[in-house]
Amino acid sequence: MNRAFSRKKDKTWMHTPETLSKHYIPYNAKFLGSTEVEQPKGTEVVRDAVRKLKFARHIKKSEGQKTPKVELQISIYGVKILDPKTKEVQHNCQLHRISFCADDKTDKRIFTFICKDSESNKHLCYVFDSEKCAEEITLTIGQAFDLAYRKFLESGGKDVETRKQIAGLQKRIQELETENIELKNKVQDLENQLRINQVHTSPAGSVTPKSPSTDIFDMVPFSPISPQSSTPTRNGTQPPPVPSRSAEIKRDLFGAEPFDPFSCGAGDFPPDIQSKLDEMQEGFKMGLTLEGTVFCLDPLDSRC
């Protein structure tokens, strides 16, 4: 499926993309609480979490505690849970960390979503009681996720994948350079062995120095590893020394410096931003599952 989310029966979006991109959609709800779950997705996972939090809420209600009211602000930047009076942010759930969202088809007020906590990296299930608009809220979260995923791809998401491919190519280049160095060493060993054999097979008592071998144009072949000769020029002065390159810079078979796509590139990201992009890519790749399910399977289901 090419969509950033999955749902058994797709619904038509009810908000304009501009509203979720530049503003937010507010909803009022009662917050039953959050609890840790073992899996990032699954109907049974959220069903057990809803039962657990409903039971805890009934106990608190019997003790005279009311279910706290919250305001939800949904946009492409996440789902914010705020105090409706002070507007203090209690929880900020980024969309790439939300992996599962469901509403109760028998009770139009209950909806829930699973979000990976940014500090503990644990999966937490948040449960809410809304004013009979649970399905609308889950669809709004789904639309926000879809828009955020598209925006991520249009901005830095594609670059993350490209940089990973470049890193693979860079690794291959380094492997080839290592092979080139090994081949150079083997060629040098063969040349040394050839010189030794030529000395041993020369006539006894011969001290004539061997002239270097020439090519078909009667030219001495260029050797990048041979030392520079100190032959004076015609006017008797020594030629200017050739500037030496740093010995620490490794070169390939053709004398070129190895390609490094990560050195001083305009599109490079600092490590903290790069790790954030990688995290977002992983979250969006997992996708958001929207699923309508039934949570009210136990008799302990009076109004909270």
Side-chain angles (χ1 to χ4, degrees):
M1 183 178 291
N2 295 328
R3 305 286 289 274
F5 61 93
S6 61
R7 184 177 176 87
K8 293 181 178 179
K9 294 182 179 180
D10 288 341
K11 297 283 186 178
T12 305
W13 297 137
M14 55 186 63
H15 306 290
T16 62
E18 183 179 6
T19 304
L20 287 167
S21 299
K22 298 182 179 180
H23 306 283
Y24 59 84
I25 306 296
Y27 291 100
N28 293 319
K30 293 181 179 180
F31 186 32
L32 274 65
S34 63
T35 183
E36 182 182 352
V37 292
E38 297 295 329
Q39 301 295 329
K41 296 176 183 285
T43 303
E44 290 298 327
V45 175
V46 294
R47 183 176 295 159
D48 292 342
V50 170
R51 286 175 175 171
K52 177 180 178 180
L53 290 173
K54 276 188 174 182
F55 181 76
R57 181 53 53 189
H58 278 290
I59 294 178
K60 292 181 179 180
K61 185 180 179 181
S62 65
E63 296 174 349
Q65 299 184 25
K66 294 183 178 181
T67 305
K69 295 180 179 180
V70 295
E71 177 183 334
L72 300 176
Q73 294 181 356
I74 303 174
S75 69
I76 63 171
Y77 300 103
V79 179
K80 289 184 178 180
I81 305 173
L82 305 89
D83 184 287
K85 294 182 179 180
T86 65
K87 301 299 180 182
E88 180 183 357
V89 178
Q90 301 175 357
H91 303 277
N92 187 10
C93 303
Q94 296 174 310
L95 290 176
H96 67 276
R97 290 181 169 271
I98 299 177
S99 54
F100 191 88
C101 188
D103 55 89
D104 191 342
K105 292 308 174 187
T106 61
D107 185 349
K108 299 297 183 182
R109 308 193 318 172
I110 300 297
F111 74 95
T112 178
F113 63 80
I114 298 177
C115 180
K116 189 176 183 181
D117 185 69
S118 58
E119 297 182 358
S120 64
N121 280 331
K122 295 179 179 179
H123 296 287
L124 301 179
C125 182
Y126 295 79
V127 181
F128 302 87
D129 183 342
S130 67
E131 293 297 328
K132 297 184 179 180
C133 56
E135 182 179 17
E136 179 181 337
I137 295 176
T138 56
L139 286 175
T140 302
I141 294 176
Q143 183 181 6
F145 186 96
D146 186 52
L147 291 172
Y149 179 63
R150 296 176 188 274
K151 186 177 179 66
F152 174 75
L153 290 180
E154 292 172 0
S155 55
K158 291 182 179 178
D159 190 71
V160 173
E161 193 63 34
T162 302
R163 287 168 63 83
K164 288 183 178 180
Q165 294 176 2
I166 292 177
L169 292 175
Q170 185 190 36
K171 182 180 179 181
R172 180 57 182 157
I173 290 173
Q174 292 175 346
E175 293 174 352
L176 291 174
E177 289 175 351
T178 303
E179 293 178 6
N180 287 339
I181 294 175
E182 293 176 353
L183 289 174
K184 285 181 182 179
N185 293 334
K186 290 181 180 179
V187 171
Q188 185 64 43
D189 292 340
L190 290 174
E191 290 179 352
N192 294 337
Q193 187 64 36
L194 181 60
R195 292 192 186 98
I196 294 174
N197 293 338
Q198 289 175 345
V199 170
H200 288 168
T201 56
S202 61
S206 173
V207 290
T208 5
K210 262 185 66 51
S211 60
S213 58
T214 58
D215 58 16
I216 59 175
F217 302 104
D218 199 28
M219 299 289 291
V220 177
F222 169 73
S223 174
I225 59 174
S226 62
Q228 297 289 335
S229 64
S230 58
T231 307
T233 57
R234 291 183 179 180
N235 57 7
T237 60
Q238 293 289 341
V242 179
S244 61
R245 304 295 291 265
S246 174
E248 297 179 356
I249 301 179
K250 297 182 180 179
R251 302 183 178 280
D252 60 15
L253 187 61
F254 304 100
E257 296 181 8
F259 170 67
D260 185 2
F262 297 103
S263 62
C264 302
D268 284 353
F269 299 109
D272 55 338
I273 297 180
Q274 182 61 48
S275 62
K276 183 67 175 179
L277 287 173
D278 291 338
E279 174 198 318
M280 293 179 68
Q281 184 188 41
E282 180 182 355
F284 282 127
K285 187 177 292 184
M286 175 182 289
L288 169 65
T289 301
L290 299 185
E291 186 170 323
T293 187
V294 178
F295 299 129
C296 305
L297 299 180
D298 51 72
L300 189 60
D301 191 32
S302 59
R303 301 296 92 174
C304 297

